[in-house]
Amino acid sequence: MSTQYSKYDSVAFENFSKKILNELTQDESLTMTLSAEETLFSRISKARVRQITNVAQASIDYVYIKGNKTLSFTLPYKAFEEDVDLALKKLKISREWIEKLPDDPYLVRPAFYGITKEENLNALPSNDEMLSGVLDYASHVDLAGMFASGDIVRATINSAGQFHWFKTRNFYLDYSLYNNKQKAVKSLFAGSTWDALALRENIKDSELKLSLMDRDSKIIERGSYRVFLAPSAVAELLGTLSWGGVSMGDHQRGNGSLKSLWEKTKHLSPKFNLTEDFSLGMSPRFNDRGEVAASSMPIIENGLLKNFLTSTRTSNEYKVETNFATDWEGMRSPVIKSGSLARENILKELGTGLYLSDLHYLNWSDRETARLTGMTRYACFWVEKGEIICPIQDLRFDESFYSIFGDALVDLTNYSEIIPNTGSYSQRDVGGSKVPGILLSEFKFTL
Amino acid sequence: MVNLKNLLNSLNTEADYISLRSVHHHSVSVGVRNEILEGVSSSEDNGLMIEVMIDGQIAYGATNSFELSEVKRCAEVARQSALMAKRFGLFPLTHQERPKVIGEYKSPASRGMDHFKPSEITDLLISLTGQMKIHDHIISRTANFSLIETHSHYVASNGSDVHQKIIRSTISLSATAASDKGTQRRTFGDEQSAQSGLERIDRAVLLKASQKIADEALALLEAPECPTETMDLLLAPDQMFLQIHESIGHPLELDRILGDERNYAGWSFVKPSDFGTLHYGSKLMNVTFDPTVVGQNASYFADDIGAIATREYLIKDGLLERGLGSLESQKRLNLPGVSSQRATSWNRPPIDRMANVNLEPGHSTMAEMLSTIERGVFMQTTRSWSIDDYRNKFQFGCEHAQLIENGKLTTIVKNPNYRGITAPFWNQLKMVGDKSTYQIGGLTNCGKGEPNQVIHVGHASPACLFSKIEVFGGGK
Ligand SMILES: [Zn+2]
């Protein structure tokens, strides 16, 4: 197997696109958005291969407009001649379908948003070499997780002449280590250059953390506790915020979860600053329409709402300004500003309470009051007078965002972690977040 | 249409076993909000998964091209992966886990994609959201339709040959009411995906449902908060579906019990020794794995490794009997299972999944259940859900609830939630509704696996009564 073989290149895609775009008549327009990947996925359990899968796949979303009407379709992109026939056939059907559809009052027409090409294609060792590197080194531990490596493409081209191309080559080992009490620690080793030494350091570090989990777990009674949430736990909270928390459309339609912040009847801590910041370089700045977002945009500044993510469609409907968000209006590259808590002072400042490395299965329990529920997971400890005492039995929390990033926020760490998205529903995700840890004066556990 | 058997024969890949599984999805969806068409979209996806076994090690290669040169390249990549992974294999597979199977399956749907007319569906959805426009407080009214045809073909070097053509559709509605008293949302149909086509559309029924959710969203605005107390909990089938899914379906997946899923969705509180011994719930609890229910969302003939699907009891009279795992997991655990190793599409390897996991009806009418309740609450329609990685501590929120006092349904209350721990909760199952309370449903969005996969499942359930459950409301 070879990572360097690449089916999907920008010239072939551009040439293919032009064959379709050239078929359009004067009152028609089209946007074509490509998602492609060539990935090796290796599912690992007990540091051995459970399933190994090589995937080459690509599809194109087409948004077709005629007059004031629109419809969309998705087709596979095979990088073979037959793609053209398939697309033209579908275009013909779309012309028939669209005739009888009503006008779209919030139509977003394609425009020229420039031409950009970004390729981060570092040479990586072969998949064999990287995967064997992981499995040989980890053979003495119970490691479960996923090793993925390969190329990802996002591109968009439209009939107004714009063309954006983003291609990245990277890998990740998303894993957890287990002891014989079914206790675990979680880690992620990811990048676009391979460093075998760093991989070993990462696993060794996890082993060290796992040794702390050998002590018997303490059952913690329900109630409010002082807690420290590590960056990976904070990233989970942030992920939930993308479900209706920062979307202008959702707030306009009554499904938003930061309504009180929007209406200025509540505010968050002045220490809390949230930005959509593409300088992380993990996500393309262009969206499916090819609109290019600002390289950095504040969402929440000093605890006050600055901008909800707003797509051009939402902008057309509610007469508010667009900031070129995706139609989903979720965050693609969020960054929470760090604070002043130094790593060596975390336990001391926590005093007596809970150190939580990860959270799991979060959901809004009451959107209106921005209340979230979820579970603690992996390395979570009971801490007394600044000292780790023992792991805990997992707890359910149910707490408001206004408390977590508001009244209860004591401090944020002075360091942050970059956490790439490792999701792979249908295709491998791009994007990620950069977040510090947070110290809270109280956090409510209900079960 | 590509002849898959010919393609298999022309590969000449050196392997102990090789299979090809092609999957062709064709779907359309239409969305309307506040009487305005938000989108008509269609999608075609067509690809091939090649499975190669060498010395007991399986590896996969997936491609969306059926060109011989590309398929050969893909098969070779899979072969190389199998050779490489052999040294690190978790367990060796044999031909027993890839039985020869020949057969076909077709959904009972009669009107599929060929009958779809975008303007007809758009008109229908516009009238449904129009029906919800009963008050200025109803600020958002949505109606969505989707139709998906999936045609899979599986051939293997052992002579297996399985065609399955599945047609599914859903229509879902929502009404959001907002005033200075807050925001409330009612939905209909999200959990009713089924193997039926356009013939299932019943305009009169949908208009009535639209009216009902709008009325209820409006009424919820005025309702008091659900009280915080421990009381009897009566759950409607449209909440039971997800309760079954999260606290029976997932913990019984054998690959979770084996630890394959530990790094993602999680492990399970169920241990291999629990099969045949664990009293999962009260004696009234009977749960089946049933891919034979005509028209239910996850009915099929065989799974994606060739195991023929049959109806089996997972839990009988409260006792845990069998897990959700196909031939690979059954061999690893030496436990009975079901035919459930399924992939979301051509681009993913099959893993242990639910299919239709159904709670069988009991003998109590709704009136009989209500009459036994001194103080309780009746909850309907999932709003929020969360459960831990061992599938123990759960919390669910529902859209709508009504108090039950001295055997009668009384005050409507808003933001109802309840929490519990799986096995104790099911052991508090006090009464199980009869056929008259029984509904068949289906979910479209069960997520699991690394790489991630989302799959269709089915659930059916009567209304059920649980005693002494922690119930609470919303707000800070
Ligand atoms: Zn699920």
Side-chain angles (χ1 to χ4, degrees):
Chain A
M1 70 193 89
S2 91
T3 343
Q4 315 299 346
Y5 166 86
S6 193
K7 258 180 92 161
Y8 309 112
D9 73 76
S10 64
V11 176
F13 174 64
E14 196 177 2
N15 288 341
F16 161 71
S17 307
K18 294 221 161 119
K19 286 182 192 158
I20 312 304
L21 295 171
N22 286 341
E23 292 296 315
L24 298 176
T25 60
Q26 215 172 13
D27 62 341
E28 293 178 321
S29 58
L30 191 67
T31 303
M32 298 166 63
T33 302
L34 171 74
S35 305
E37 72 173 324
E38 288 165 88
T39 301
L40 171 89
F41 291 106
S42 183
R43 182 168 217 199
I44 301 166
S45 189
K46 297 174 184 151
R48 304 191 73 82
V49 173
R50 169 65 184 94
Q51 275 173 331
I52 184 163
T53 309
N54 301 272
V55 181
Q57 60 174 336
S59 64
I60 298 176
D61 292 329
Y62 297 77
V63 178
Y64 170 66
I65 294 174
K66 187 173 186 194
N68 294 319
K69 304 165 195 266
T70 183
L71 57 76
S72 61
F73 51 94
T74 303
L75 295 174
Y77 175 64
K78 308 174 186 207
F80 278 100
E81 267 308 304
E82 66 195 84
D83 290 331
V84 177
D85 293 345
L86 191 67
L88 292 180
K89 209 173 116 197
K90 191 73 197 181
L91 190 62
K92 187 167 171 274
I93 296 168
S94 298
R95 284 172 173 146
E96 289 162 18
W97 279 14
I98 208 164
E99 286 304 324
K100 290 186 182 162
L101 297 180
D103 282 0
D104 181 354
Y106 314 127
L107 191 66
V108 182
R109 291 183 193 280
F112 181 78
Y113 295 105
I115 296 171
T116 59
K117 186 174 168 184
E118 186 184 346
E119 292 200 339
N120 311 306
L121 302 176
N122 289 307
L124 284 174
S126 72
N127 286 326
D128 274 19
E129 191 182 329
M130 289 187 285
L131 182 57
S132 345
V134 171
L135 298 175
D136 276 328
Y137 183 72
S139 60
H140 62 291
V141 286
D142 182 2
L143 181 150
M146 164 66 55
F147 175 79
S149 79
D151 294 355
I152 301 176
V153 176
R154 295 288 185 273
T156 175
I157 191 163
N158 71 19
S159 49
Q162 66 126 25
F163 179 37
H164 297 294
W165 176 268
F166 175 88
K167 185 170 184 177
T168 187
R169 175 172 297 155
N170 59 30
F171 68 87
Y172 65 77
L173 173 67
D174 179 336
Y175 74 95
S176 35
L177 293 188
Y178 294 79
N179 68 14
N180 54 16
K181 292 178 173 169
Q182 296 199 335
K183 283 285 180 184
V185 297
K186 172 93 179 174
S187 187
L188 178 67
F189 180 67
S192 50
T193 52
W194 183 254
D195 180 344
L197 200 66
L199 166 76
R200 289 176 201 160
E201 290 297 321
N202 189 294
I203 295 175
K204 223 183 271 178
D205 189 46
S206 298
E207 281 183 75
L208 196 68
K209 281 189 193 137
L210 186 63
S211 65
L212 292 172
M213 306 293 288
D214 285 340
R215 300 177 211 172
D216 286 340
S217 296
K218 181 180 169 78
I219 298 172
I220 306 290
E221 296 297 319
R222 318 174 185 200
S224 278
Y225 293 89
R226 194 173 171 88
V227 301
F228 174 76
L229 293 166
S232 43
V234 175
E236 284 287 332
L237 294 170
L238 202 54
T240 309
L241 204 57
S242 272
W243 293 99
V246 290
S247 151
M248 174 60 87
D250 274 326
H251 282 85
Q252 294 282 0
R253 293 188 284 276
N255 287 328
S257 34
L258 290 182
K259 189 177 161 208
S260 306
L261 187 71
W262 187 36
E263 292 173 343
K264 299 192 171 69
T265 54
K266 276 186 187 167
H267 60 87
L268 296 165
S269 162
K271 291 175 186 146
F272 183 58
N273 292 277
L274 173 65
T275 310
E276 178 85 319
D277 185 350
F278 290 95
S279 70
L280 281 183
M282 299 167 84
S283 164
R285 268 169 67 192
F286 60 84
N287 64 12
D288 282 2
R289 300 183 201 288
E291 300 165 335
V292 183
S295 60
S296 172
M297 179 185 77
I299 298 171
I300 294 164
E301 206 170 75
N302 303 324
L304 302 175
L305 181 72
K306 294 302 275 187
N307 296 288
F308 275 143
L309 294 174
T310 309
S311 71
T312 305
R313 188 176 176 82
T314 294
S315 149
N316 289 353
E317 179 170 358
Y318 299 104
K319 313 292 173 239
V320 291
E321 208 176 323
T322 179
N323 45 44
F324 297 143
T326 61
D327 279 352
W328 181 53
E329 298 180 340
M331 295 176 284
R332 288 174 280 170
S333 199
V335 173
I336 296 177
K337 196 176 158 190
S338 51
S340 61
L341 178 62
R343 201 185 289 268
E344 59 272 20
N345 292 333
I346 292 171
L347 292 176
K348 193 179 82 191
E349 292 298 323
L350 174 58
T352 296
L354 294 158
Y355 180 105
L356 307 177
S357 76
D358 288 274
L359 299 175
H360 174 63
Y361 216 135
L362 274 60
N363 206 330
W364 298 109
S365 54
D366 185 17
R367 278 184 191 246
E368 204 143 356
T369 48
R371 228 174 66 192
L372 289 160
T373 187
M375 292 294 304
T376 64
R377 193 179 186 185
Y378 299 116
C380 296
F381 302 99
W382 174 247
V383 176
E384 253 175 56
K385 293 175 190 154
E387 237 182 278
I388 288 184
I389 303 298
C390 59
I392 59 162
Q393 283 193 8
D394 283 323
L395 288 164
R396 170 165 296 287
F397 68 90
D398 194 346
E399 185 60 275
S400 170
F401 205 82
Y402 292 109
S403 170
I404 300 167
F405 289 103
D407 301 338
L409 184 64
V410 178
D411 203 352
L412 305 98
T413 56
N414 63 4
Y415 64 92
S416 288
E417 283 178 16
I418 292 176
I419 299 172
N421 293 342
T422 56
S424 53
Y425 284 105
S426 109
Q427 285 199 22
R428 208 143 67 91
D429 287 346
V430 294
S433 56
K434 187 179 172 190
V435 291
I438 56 175
L439 180 65
L440 305 182
S441 60
E442 58 173 350
F443 194 60
K444 199 189 318 157
F445 296 97
T446 55
L447 191 62
Chain B
M1 200 77 208
V2 182
N3 186 319
L4 222 52
K5 274 188 177 166
N6 289 350
L7 199 56
L8 179 67
N9 290 335
S10 37
L11 283 181
N12 305 322
T13 305
E14 276 178 46
D16 300 331
Y17 168 90
I18 179 162
S19 77
L20 302 182
R21 179 170 53 85
S22 71
V23 181
H24 185 187
H25 291 291
H26 189 186
S27 66
V28 287
S29 61
V30 183
V32 166
R33 180 164 53 82
N34 296 357
E35 300 78 67
I36 285 169
L37 176 65
E38 288 224 292
V40 170
S41 58
S42 60
S43 172
E44 272 194 64
D45 186 25
N46 197 4
L48 187 67
M49 178 60 95
I50 304 170
E51 183 184 44
V52 172
M53 190 200 295
I54 299 171
D55 296 341
Q57 179 64 48
I58 274 183
Y60 295 90
T63 175
N64 68 0
S65 172
F66 290 82
E67 292 278 332
L68 184 61
S69 61
E70 169 62 11
V71 175
K72 277 187 168 167
R73 181 198 70 81
C74 191
E76 180 55 24
V77 168
R79 197 180 78 88
Q80 292 294 335
S81 285
L83 291 172
M84 179 263 163
K86 226 165 64 175
R87 186 158 74 89
F88 302 107
L90 182 61
F91 62 96
L93 284 166
T94 67
H95 287 284
Q96 279 178 339
E97 289 80 55
R98 291 295 181 276
K100 178 180 173 176
V101 59
I102 294 173
E104 65 181 313
Y105 175 84
K106 243 182 177 172
S107 292
S110 61
R111 288 166 64 83
M113 208 62 77
D114 296 343
H115 297 268
F116 171 74
K117 292 200 180 68
S119 55
E120 266 180 30
I121 296 291
T122 304
D123 291 348
L124 169 72
L125 300 186
I126 288 174
S127 59
L128 295 177
T129 70
Q131 185 78 8
M132 299 176 207
K133 205 173 171 182
I134 54 167
H135 195 285
D136 286 347
H137 286 162
I138 306 288
I139 59 164
S140 180
R141 310 172 289 282
T142 67
N144 290 282
F145 166 82
S146 85
L147 178 68
I148 309 167
E149 282 191 15
T150 301
H151 186 182
S152 67
H153 186 195
Y154 173 78
V155 298
S157 53
N158 64 4
S160 287
D161 190 353
V162 180
H163 274 284
Q164 303 198 81
K165 187 170 183 183
I166 292 177
I167 298 180
R168 295 185 174 99
S169 64
T170 48
I171 289 194
S172 55
L173 310 168
S174 81
T176 306
S179 73
D180 55 359
K181 302 216 168 107
T183 307
Q184 288 292 321
R185 187 162 179 260
R186 278 293 276 144
T187 64
F188 168 87
D190 282 329
E191 67 303 311
Q192 290 178 23
S193 178
Q195 287 188 14
S196 56
L198 293 154
E199 75 281 359
R200 81 181 294 196
I201 294 174
D202 184 331
R203 196 184 173 87
V205 167
L206 291 167
L207 282 168
K208 217 171 132 187
S210 302
Q211 176 80 41
K212 182 167 180 274
I213 60 168
D215 286 342
E216 289 179 351
L218 214 53
L220 282 166
L221 280 184
E222 304 299 322
E225 286 288 343
C226 178
T228 298
E229 69 182 75
T230 297
M231 57 167 97
D232 285 355
L233 174 65
L234 182 60
L235 292 179
D238 67 357
Q239 167 57 22
M240 283 299 296
F241 298 155
L242 204 61
Q243 181 71 55
I244 292 167
H245 182 92
E246 301 288 7
S247 71
I248 301 174
H250 281 304
L252 296 192
E253 288 162 349
L254 295 185
D255 65 338
R256 286 183 73 122
I257 293 167
L258 280 158
D260 294 352
E261 186 69 18
R262 285 177 292 175
N263 186 60
Y264 186 59
W267 219 325
S268 175
F269 73 91
V270 176
K271 295 182 287 296
S273 58
D274 289 337
F275 291 93
T277 59
L278 176 69
H279 290 278
Y280 208 97
S282 79
K283 284 201 169 5
L284 298 172
M285 187 186 187
N286 286 287
V287 181
T288 55
F289 169 89
D290 195 351
T292 68
V293 179
V294 177
Q296 197 174 358
N297 204 35
S299 292
Y300 50 85
F301 163 71
D303 71 5
D304 291 332
I305 59 169
I308 293 175
T310 52
R311 179 179 196 263
E312 306 291 347
Y313 272 91
L314 302 173
I315 296 168
K316 192 149 197 208
D317 303 328
L319 187 72
L320 178 62
E321 289 198 338
R322 188 182 286 259
L324 293 165
S326 195
L327 300 173
E328 294 183 15
S329 297
Q330 290 170 34
K331 183 185 184 186
R332 288 163 72 192
L333 281 166
N334 194 23
L335 280 173
V338 295
S339 155
S340 66
Q341 201 165 329
R342 302 196 288 146
T344 179
S345 188
W346 58 269
N347 62 353
R348 294 286 180 262
I351 55 177
D352 288 343
R353 302 302 306 230
M354 292 174 230
N356 300 322
V357 174
N358 299 341
L359 185 72
E360 298 296 316
H363 303 288
S364 306
T365 64
M366 199 67 172
E368 282 165 0
M369 290 193 283
L370 284 170
S371 71
T372 66
I373 302 169
E374 202 171 305
R375 185 161 168 82
V377 61
F378 175 50
M379 293 191 195
Q380 295 179 70
T381 322
T382 311
R383 179 171 98 167
S384 169
W385 61 97
S386 173
I387 188 164
D388 72 69
D389 57 329
Y390 285 82
R391 301 278 146 170
N392 269 319
K393 294 180 174 181
F394 61 78
Q395 174 169 328
F396 285 101
C398 290
E399 291 178 1
H400 191 272
Q402 205 168 355
L403 293 180
I404 305 162
E405 291 162 300
N406 301 317
K408 297 221 158 47
L409 285 165
T410 59
T411 320
I412 293 170
V413 291
K414 68 177 178 184
N415 305 326
N417 294 272
Y418 65 98
R419 58 171 90 93
I421 295 172
T422 297
F425 178 80
W426 286 107
N427 277 283
Q428 280 153 271
L429 176 64
K430 192 175 151 192
M431 292 176 95
V432 175
D434 65 10
K435 272 247 151 115
S436 70
T437 74
Y438 186 72
Q439 281 180 29
I440 294 176
L443 306 172
T444 59
N445 57 352
C446 177
K448 186 184 169 183
E450 290 173 303
N452 304 154
Q453 306 195 36
V454 64
I455 213 157
H456 281 264
V457 298
H459 298 296
S461 179
C464 285
L465 175 61
F466 299 85
S467 60
K468 298 195 185 84
I469 304 299
E470 278 185 54
V471 164
F472 57 101
K476 169 68 190 170

